[in-house]
Amino acid sequence: MEILKKRIIEDGRVVGKDILKVDSFLNHQIDVRLYNEMGKEFLELFKDEKITKILTVEASGIGIACIAAQYFDVPVVFAKKTESSNLDSDTYESQVYSFTRAKTYKIRVSKRYINKGDRLLIIDDFLANGKAVLGLMDIISQAGATLAGVGIVIEKGFQEGGKILREMGVNLKSLAVVRSFEDGRAILD
Ligand code: G4P
């Protein structure tokens, strides 16, 4: 997606060996006009998949999932990372290991909000090692629902998540793929 790629090149900053900071437009300050264009693009990519719900994980997947959901005209469900008294006790759960944070956390979704007949589109802002997406896929499979696709804003192509998911036959589409970092700049496919 050209306007996203242009924005990553202009405003993205590389931190250390493998982190791309895009918090001026994607996951801290949010450019809503750009989000709308990304939402339309996700609809274009998945419009034939009969999506009934969008699934994401808190926190930074929620914004883009909600904007995309307006174009699909379906609800968004987000997996929660924290235990809370207002979450139903009957939940689907999965464990996610975060390489970035070097820790494992639990994600939960109330059993009320994913049903057998659902065709889910997973949306997230970043795909690195794929653990968050695999955790969400585990929850979809526990619910007996169908994974119809995975839409990612920025895939880091030099980490293994994209390869793992494509080899599993997942219908994965990324709006931008970062091939490498060179001299502190992101090189895009
Ligand atoms: P994985 O799910 O693909 O295995 O990713 P990983 O554990 O490595 O990533 C952990 C968190 O860091 C995720 O956010 C992910 O979106 C984010 N992340 C991964 N690579 C980058 C990067 O290059 N730049 C930025 N800005 N973020 C990256 P999270 O734990 O879900 O946190 P939240 O911010 O959504 O709450």
Side-chain angles (χ1 to χ4, degrees):
M1 187 185 172
E2 287 315 313
I3 51 165
L4 173 64
K5 290 183 187 173
K6 186 165 176 282
R7 197 65 185 273
I8 293 170
I9 288 165
E10 282 172 3
D11 293 343
R13 287 182 297 120
V14 175
V15 177
K17 280 204 319 281
D18 56 9
I19 295 292
L20 177 66
K21 293 276 275 182
V22 282
D23 49 8
S24 65
F25 62 95
L26 193 72
N27 52 19
H28 193 18
Q29 175 170 261
I30 289 176
D31 181 335
V32 179
R33 196 166 286 177
L34 176 65
Y35 263 46
N36 272 308
E37 294 310 311
M38 300 193 301
K40 288 181 207 163
E41 185 70 14
F42 280 131
L43 177 63
E44 188 54 36
L45 293 170
F46 295 103
K47 62 177 183 296
D48 298 329
E49 298 295 340
K50 301 187 174 65
I51 304 297
T52 62
K53 253 173 214 181
I54 292 179
L55 179 65
T56 190
V57 57
E58 65 178 349
S60 45
I62 297 176
I64 181 58
C66 287
I67 298 266
Q70 291 188 305
Y71 295 101
F72 286 86
D73 199 17
V74 298
V76 172
V77 177
F78 65 92
K80 300 203 178 198
K81 289 179 180 167
T82 47
E83 210 119 21
S84 100
S85 54
N86 60 13
L87 179 63
D88 293 342
S89 53
D90 208 8
T91 55
Y92 299 114
E93 296 183 356
S94 193
Q95 301 281 343
V96 174
Y97 177 73
S98 169
F99 286 89
T100 311
R101 295 166 207 266
K103 64 171 198 184
T104 299
Y105 58 92
K106 208 188 262 186
I107 56 172
R108 307 169 183 79
V109 176
S110 166
K111 289 189 178 174
R112 287 167 191 255
Y113 301 127
I114 305 185
N115 302 300
K116 268 201 169 58
D118 276 324
R119 290 182 54 81
L120 291 125
L121 173 63
I122 293 176
I123 286 193
D124 211 352
D125 57 341
F126 269 94
L127 177 65
N129 292 291
K131 303 296 187 199
V133 172
L134 289 167
L136 293 172
M137 286 169 59
D138 180 24
I139 283 176
I140 291 172
S141 118
Q142 289 173 44
T146 302
L147 173 70
V150 176
I152 297 291
V153 176
I154 302 178
E155 174 181 340
K156 295 198 290 181
F158 54 88
Q159 291 182 265
E160 63 184 14
K163 185 166 179 280
I164 291 171
L165 297 176
R166 290 188 181 94
E167 281 177 3
M168 290 170 76
V170 170
N171 180 16
L172 166 67
K173 309 253 169 74
S174 302
L175 302 185
V177 179
V178 177
R179 194 184 333 136
S180 60
F181 294 148
E182 284 170 26
D183 302 326
R185 296 164 60 106
I187 309 297
L188 304 180
D189 275 355

